[in-house]
């Protein structure tokens, strides 16, 4: 479980995150959506969780269970982003980050080699690591990219590029995956396909997934829990049904006046 404790971050006079206390991953494979109007502090919160920003106050804590079943608590507030990845906190950005001139398979291989510390080996980019190739095969199947595995990334449709980006994140073996608007730029025809694939893989792998999302239809369909931010603070939290029953949330998020 990833926990934010009393997180505060300001930029000059603007308080972007105002003493936020939230938890992600109360249940294995939990799908949590962060929602809120522009300027609510959603991306700032994710940046604090992943180490791209340092908080003015508060802490970020990772709760884990080891192979012996013992629970451990790790304060990652001062940990660099790359070290958080090694600890299991992985992020996929709004803008797709893939190696454009590599094939789909080569992109996934690179992510898995990185996770296993093999990028500096003599055979880094060969296909001679049987264990690595087995993981790549599994990612290709789970993210429905089998037929595209030899296609160069910059020629992929945007939906498949997004899936490749998220699949690479899974190649880093996350416990917690943070997604910044996973359907951004994806065509209406691809949106359901992309989101369903991501959700299905996350739940099957028991990966806690935290996504910033503006499409309330997607949130309503896939969320186990919703956290609504407004002016840097938590305005509401609960099941997706609160988006329909909470008058204040409906006013802030949807502009609905009762």
């Amino acid at each position: 479980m990833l926990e934010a404790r009393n997180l505060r971050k300001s930029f000059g006079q603007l308080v972007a995150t105002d003493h936020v206390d939230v938890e992600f991953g109360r249940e294995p494979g939990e799908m949590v959506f962060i929602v809120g109007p522009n300027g609510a502090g959603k991306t700032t919160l994710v940046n604090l969780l992943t180490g791209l920003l340092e908080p003015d106050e508060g802490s970020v804590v990772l709760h884990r269970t080891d192979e012996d079943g013992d629970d451990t608590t790790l304060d990652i507030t001062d940990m660099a982003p790359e070290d958080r990845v090694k600890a299991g906190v992985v992020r996929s950005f709004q803008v797709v980050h893939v190696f454009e001139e590599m094939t789909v398979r080569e992109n996934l291989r690179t992510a898995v080699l990185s996770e296993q510390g093999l990028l500096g080996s003599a055979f880094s980019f060969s296909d001679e690591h049987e264990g690595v190739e087995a993981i790549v095969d599994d990612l290709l199947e789970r993210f429905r990219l089998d037929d595209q595995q030899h296609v160069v990334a910059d020629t992929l449709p945007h939906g498949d590029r997004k899936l490749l980006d998220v699949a690479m994140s899974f190649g880093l073996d996350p416990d917690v995956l943070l997604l910044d608007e996973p359907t951004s730029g994806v065509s209406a025809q691809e949106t359901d396909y992309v989101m369903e694939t991501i959700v299905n893989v996350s739940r099957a792998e028991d990966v806690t997934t935290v996504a910033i999302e503006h499409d309330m239809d997607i949130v309503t369909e896939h969320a186990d829990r919703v956290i609504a931010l407004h002016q840097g603070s938590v305005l509401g939290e609960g099941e997706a049904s609160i988006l329909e029953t909470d008058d204040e949330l409906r006013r802030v998020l949807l502009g609905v006046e009762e």
Side-chain angles (χ1 to χ4, degrees), residues 143-197:
F143 284 91
R144 308 180 189 182
L145 293 168
D146 310 63
D147 294 341
Q148 307 271 34
Q149 64 177 298
H150 299 302
V151 175
V152 176
D154 69 355
T155 65
L156 289 171
H158 195 79
D160 286 336
R161 284 166 55 84
K162 180 67 75 170
L163 286 177
L164 174 59
D165 185 41
V166 177
M168 290 175 68
S169 297
F170 268 85
L172 297 172
D173 193 25
D175 295 314
V176 181
L177 177 63
L178 297 107
L179 306 175
D180 193 345
E181 297 191 43
T183 60
S184 175
V186 177
S187 68
Q189 292 77 15
E190 296 175 298
T191 296
D192 288 342
Y193 174 84
V194 168
M195 203 65 223
E196 286 174 4
T197 302

Side-chain angles (χ1 to χ4, degrees), residues 18 73 81 92 101 162 166 179 189 192 242 246:
D18 192 7
T73 299
S92 176
E101 297 181 358
K162 180 67 75 170
V166 177
L179 306 175
Q189 292 77 15
D192 288 342
I242 66 172
D246 189 303

Side-chain angles (χ1 to χ4, degrees), residues 15-32:
V15 179
T17 306
D18 192 7
H19 300 290
V20 170
D21 291 291
V22 287
E23 298 172 342
F24 306 99
R26 294 173 178 172
E27 300 293 336
E30 184 184 34
M31 192 79 196
V32 183

Side-chain angles (χ1 to χ4, degrees), residues 17 34 40-50 53 91 94 180-181 212 214 229:
T17 306
I34 301 175
K42 302 182 297 297
T43 299
T44 299
L45 175 58
V46 170
N47 286 341
L48 291 169
L49 294 171
T50 54
L53 289 174
R91 178 178 183 175
Q94 180 178 354
D180 193 345
E181 297 191 43
I212 295 174
H214 288 284
L229 298 183

Side-chain angles (χ1 to χ4, degrees), residues 1-5 7 20-35 41-42 45-46 48-50 59-64 89 175-178 206-212 225-229 234 237:
M1 182 176 71
L2 184 64
E3 180 184 4
R5 295 179 176 175
L7 278 186
V20 170
D21 291 291
V22 287
E23 298 172 342
F24 306 99
R26 294 173 178 172
E27 300 293 336
E30 184 184 34
M31 192 79 196
V32 183
F33 283 92
I34 301 175
V35 301
K42 302 182 297 297
L45 175 58
V46 170
L48 291 169
L49 294 171
T50 54
S59 59
V60 180
V61 176
L62 184 62
H63 304 272
R64 296 186 295 187
V89 180
D175 295 314
V176 181
L177 177 63
L178 297 107
D206 283 343
V207 172
T208 296
T209 304
V210 182
I212 295 174
R225 189 158 50 95
V226 174
I227 295 172
L229 298 183
V234 176
E237 179 180 350

